Amino acid sequence: MNLFDKVYENKKPLAFRYRPKSLDDFYGQEKLVGENGILRKIIERGNFMNAIFWGAPGTGKTTLAEIVAEKMNYHYEYLNAIKASVTDIKEISDKAHNRFHTNGQQTLLFLDEIHRFNKLQQDSLLQDLENGNIILIGATTENPYYNLNNALLSRCMAFEFKKLSEKDLLKILKNINEKEKIGISNEILEYISEIIEGDARQAINILELIANVGVDFTLDEVKGVLNTKKSYHKTEDKYNTVSAMIKSIRGSDPDAAIYWMAKMLSGGEDILYIARRLVILASEDIGLANPQALSVAVAGLNAVKEIGMPEARIILSEVAIYLAISPKSNSAYNAINSALSHIENEKIQDTPIHLTKVGKKDYKYPHNYENHYVEQVYMNEKIKFYEFGENKFEMAAKEYFKKIKKNEK
């Protein structure tokens, strides 16, 4: 390395310069790359597979992909799904094909923020994964089981990257502090490790910021400058939290529902995401026990779109409380799931001829009969999918149908 290269290298951010170059230097993710970690064993055997790395920012997803490429002598390509296109994928694929048939070197494509790819873009990867033209490592801060196509997931192994512990963060900061001769006190390093919540990159950036200021800060001064508000990472925590909100509403606990909603709002969650989840819940869990619930949830969604924060919090709160204190029924949810399962696993019935245009002369128009009801065949083989729920609306409907069917007979 010449003098210019050394100067250039020293100008790079600390987080870049201290990125681990080997598995032994890698902090955190003990279950994945520790002594008995599954990814370490796979890498050491020298035959990697298509994978999805998912977890919070700063947990080592990009770093580990680079280590895999280096250790296994793969040609490394990086793309960010926000900027990349299907054309970019095809270009890398063609080069990978030529490279492999020229010198036998395989290509590892690291596709950052893979959840930003739409279905068409994700599908464009499938053929290359099938024929082994490229080895894919997709990285995402979102849960892949919610955000990636099943076709893509079925061709990849998904590995979750946990937030780094305070102990691991402190080791990283102490190592850099010592090697760079920054001279920041241990109590400040411990404080940074405590508030960052597992993001190594952010912790190192704060260390570098303090070092660049060139002032001997006290711990109280650092506390006054740094934002200590708890962050809300949009990874597994997002889905655990929204799950807690939904289950609290389903369990008729408005206080718990509002608490988990407040956590999401405080963390900057998309208010439309919350509103849409409430619309789904209104049908899935309240359903016909209170048909008005769906109207309330949809009105809430539309109002949130128009109003925005901070006032949207009130609308979301009203909807969540209304749903939580409403009677519950999942009869509609069960009925459609049961019907879909039957369609997928059993022989499909033919449409009764009198329900088609061809046989319409034999169709009995219910409104021409007393109580707007008449017995006739609506499916050739009668199958029960819907069961009346134990609530006022559905029980009243059940009694009504008993009465009109009795009268018909």
Side-chain angles (χ1 to χ4, degrees):
M1 184 182 292
N2 59 38
L3 180 60
F4 176 80
D5 289 335
K6 287 182 179 179
V7 172
Y8 179 70
E9 185 70 20
N10 288 334
K11 291 293 184 182
K12 291 180 180 177
L14 286 178
F16 182 88
R17 283 154 50 196
Y18 282 90
R19 178 172 284 176
K21 300 296 191 292
S22 71
L23 293 177
D24 293 332
D25 297 330
F26 198 92
Y27 288 94
Q29 315 312 328
E30 189 69 21
K31 289 184 178 180
L32 296 180
V33 298
E35 187 176 344
N36 296 310
I38 183 172
L39 281 179
R40 178 183 281 268
K41 291 179 179 179
I42 292 170
I43 294 167
E44 289 176 346
R45 288 175 184 171
N47 189 22
F48 208 71
M49 83 299 285
N50 299 310
I52 303 296
F53 291 173
W54 68 284
T59 51
K61 299 183 292 294
T62 306
T63 297
L64 187 57
E66 292 177 355
I67 291 174
V68 169
E70 178 68 24
K71 182 136 181 108
M72 304 182 74
N73 194 33
Y74 292 142
H75 176 80
Y76 181 77
E77 292 279 359
Y78 173 92
L79 283 179
N80 189 301
I82 295 176
K83 300 176 181 178
S85 64
V86 172
T87 303
D88 295 320
I89 298 293
K90 187 177 186 312
E91 183 178 333
I92 289 175
S93 173
D94 291 341
K95 289 180 179 178
H97 178 82
N98 295 334
R99 186 179 299 109
F100 181 74
H101 287 86
T102 300
N103 58 26
Q105 186 182 33
Q106 290 182 281
T107 297
L108 186 151
L109 170 60
F110 182 75
L111 185 54
D112 205 2
E113 302 195 69
I114 190 171
H115 62 278
R116 298 298 189 103
F117 260 17
N118 59 36
K119 185 180 186 303
L120 176 63
Q121 291 171 311
Q122 289 182 35
D123 287 347
S124 71
L125 296 163
L126 300 181
Q127 185 175 351
D128 286 315
L129 303 192
E130 286 283 354
N131 60 29
N133 199 25
I134 59 174
I135 296 166
L136 172 72
I137 295 181
T140 174
T141 55
E142 303 284 346
N143 187 324
Y145 299 103
Y146 289 90
N147 291 280
L148 298 183
N149 296 346
N150 288 333
L152 181 60
L153 277 175
S154 69
R155 292 163 173 81
C156 301
M157 291 288 289
F159 299 98
E160 183 181 4
F161 282 59
K162 299 289 188 180
K163 299 174 187 177
L164 272 66
S165 67
E166 291 180 23
K167 184 178 178 181
D168 285 331
L169 287 174
L170 187 57
K171 285 180 182 177
I172 294 170
L173 295 179
K174 281 185 174 180
N175 178 53
I176 298 174
N177 190 47
E178 181 181 335
K179 289 185 176 179
E180 294 291 322
K181 297 180 173 55
I182 298 172
I184 294 176
S185 67
N186 280 338
E187 62 177 0
I188 291 178
L189 297 180
E190 289 171 359
Y191 176 70
I192 296 172
S193 303
E194 178 185 341
I195 67 169
I196 291 308
E197 298 185 39
D199 187 334
R201 187 187 305 112
Q202 188 179 2
I204 297 171
N205 288 342
I206 290 175
L207 177 68
E208 185 170 25
L209 177 64
I210 295 174
N212 288 340
V213 172
V215 176
D216 292 331
F217 287 106
T218 65
L219 178 58
D220 287 338
E221 287 172 334
V222 171
K223 286 183 177 180
V225 171
L226 296 182
N227 179 11
T228 60
K229 183 181 179 181
K230 295 285 186 182
S231 65
Y232 173 74
H233 291 299
K234 295 184 178 180
T235 56
E236 80 286 351
D237 189 42
K238 165 178 178 172
Y239 298 103
N240 289 340
T241 305
V242 75
S243 176
M245 182 191 73
I246 289 168
K247 287 171 181 169
S248 298
I249 295 174
R250 182 182 297 146
S252 301
D253 188 333
D255 297 311
I258 291 300
Y259 176 82
W260 298 118
M261 176 182 284
K263 179 186 175 185
M264 288 189 284
L265 291 173
S266 178
E269 182 54 71
D270 181 3
I271 54 176
L272 292 179
Y273 172 78
I274 298 173
R276 284 192 292 266
R277 295 305 307 179
L278 294 174
V279 171
I280 296 167
L281 186 148
S283 284
E284 179 177 344
D285 294 302
I286 286 97
L288 295 172
N290 178 9
Q292 184 65 22
L294 180 58
S295 298
V296 170
V298 171
L301 173 61
N302 291 331
V304 164
K305 285 180 183 177
E306 292 295 325
I307 303 301
M309 286 293 280
E311 288 81 3
R313 76 192 191 283
I314 309 167
I315 299 164
L316 291 171
S317 175
E318 178 182 345
V319 174
I321 293 170
Y322 181 86
L323 298 182
I325 64 177
S326 288
K328 307 296 188 293
S329 172
N330 65 345
S331 58
Y333 173 81
N334 288 336
I336 189 60
N337 284 352
S338 179
L340 286 170
S341 177
H342 186 89
I343 292 291
E344 291 174 5
N345 297 295
E346 305 294 337
K347 182 180 177 181
I348 303 296
Q349 296 189 35
D350 292 329
T351 306
I353 191 68
H354 60 280
L355 301 183
T356 68
K357 287 184 178 181
V358 174
K360 65 180 180 179
K361 66 180 188 323
D362 296 318
Y363 170 65
K364 297 176 183 178
Y365 188 57
H367 298 299
N368 291 338
Y369 296 83
E370 185 179 358
N371 294 318
H372 304 272
Y373 176 82
V374 61
E375 284 278 358
Q376 66 182 322
V377 173
Y378 289 102
M379 53 195 309
N380 293 320
E381 179 188 349
K382 181 65 177 175
I383 305 169
K384 187 74 170 173
F385 295 120
Y386 169 69
E387 298 289 345
F388 285 97
E390 300 293 326
N391 57 76
K392 288 183 179 179
F393 178 82
E394 290 182 276
M395 293 304 292
K398 184 177 182 180
E399 291 302 315
Y400 169 75
F401 278 107
K402 277 185 180 179
K403 179 180 178 181
I404 61 174
K405 287 183 179 181
K406 182 179 179 181
N407 291 341
E408 175 70 16
K409 291 178 181 179

